[in-house]
Amino acid sequence: MLPEMAAPPSTWSPSAWRAIPADQQPEWPDGEHAREVRERLLGMPPLVFAGEARNLQAALAEVAAGRGFLLQAGDCAESFGDFSAVTIREKLKIMLQMAAVLTYGAMLPVVKVGRIAGQFVKPRSSPVEVVDGAEIPSFRGHMVHDDAPTLAGRIPDPERMVQGYHQSAATLNLLRAFTKGGFADLTKVHLWNQEFVATSPEGRRYERIAAEIERALAFMAACGIDLERERRLHEVDVWTSHEGLLLDYEEALTRRDSLTGRWYDCSAHMLWIGERTRAADGAHAEFFAGVGNPLGIKVGPTATPAEVLDLCARLDPDRTPGRLTLICRMGAGRAAEALPPVIRAVTDAGHPVVWACDPMHANVFRTPAGVKTRRFEDIMAEIRGFFAACRECDVWPGGIHLEFTGEDVTECLGGAEAVLEDHLSVRYHSLCDPRLNARQSLDLAFRLAELMRGEDRPAPGGVT
Ligand code: PEP
Ligand code: CO
């Protein structure tokens, strides 16, 4: 049976947002060329199906009810220049490793959503940046222009939307092959440990969990359970998501579902609205109010409870479980005190949302040498603040939203590996924000599992 879903207002159409000035959009040099590209995209097959988006929403409804945990993670910005089977496989490996640690550690299903197969557009705090004394437009992602820091490189080109579409299609195809074709089989749990991780303390800790999972599987087999036939042990769902920022692209990928008659943005299973474009009366809210996908909303330190309530009313008027994930990114020192008023307002209004924590985006700073980075300890501090706020308000801390990579980069400071300021330039490959590397991500998963089990809390009697 199909879940009940309210139809969008009858005046809604995928292009209705055009009546409202949209923030953070590129100025295409040739409007006619952009229109022609949109027409072409409109004729291309959807990347995901409406039924899949509904299945993800059902999984998120379970998370909202406290019966699961959301792991949403991937690149800050995907790159046209770093596009290979190896990169995709390494990202999937760390996702599967983290999910295994969390599932085993907290004994809960983990809903896995990648920032992948479409995460090509970036909002910017400043429209310009200064490079070698010259002012050039800030980098807005490969679906808009090149990252080369030159005036020519930063000219928007709508053809890049088509290239982004094709790269997303190929990425999604490989993800589907890996996750359904044997690579994500739970009996391969050891294989996901990369060589450079396996020899580290986190890698060895992971090996111990992997061995326990293997023993549990062997135990079930010994009890006579036919593991071969249990599809869920051999396949996983990894859903796709990206920031729904570039409305020309999102509109062109929007299709009417033949089963329900509802509109879906078929560029990804889940889309989120960023911190800079979340005005309840803005063009992005107008567009996403009309599509049936599960949606994320970033909630930053300046968001008032009233603003968040307006957005919830706009995007989730029917209070559908799993429709909204509020991705809170308050900053290490602020989460514990800034979140409770927002959580209470949303809970009192009856919106059954997933509460997720993005501990990355409010903890960015530049080193004296000018390198953009984040401290692992700040990331953990924000996660602890988020858990404390959720516990105080009696809501389920349902998810985590991270920027990571499967590679051995040196972009975030600290962690068990202790990346130091001097190391940052050694392997800094991010096109935009600094990402956790594979070891830091695994380290974070172990600490998160402890938090979920409540082991971080001092024992009664006040051990510090
Ligand atoms: C992001 O997720 O990469 C991002 C830009 O986040 P925010 O909108 O929260 O700043
Ligand atoms: Co980012």
Side-chain angles (χ1 to χ4, degrees), residues 3 127 135 231 260 293 302 313 315 321 360 370 375 439 446 455 462:
E135 203 171 78
R231 191 187 61 82
T260 59
N293 309 59
T302 59
L315 298 169
M360 316 294 291
R375 279 191 198 91
R439 284 184 55 188
F446 282 116
E455 283 172 13

Side-chain angles (χ1 to χ4, degrees), residues 76 115 122 361 374 403 432-433:
C76 180
R115 289 174 60 115
K122 299 308 301 172
H361 284 92
R374 294 158 168 150
E403 287 182 343
C432 198
D433 290 337

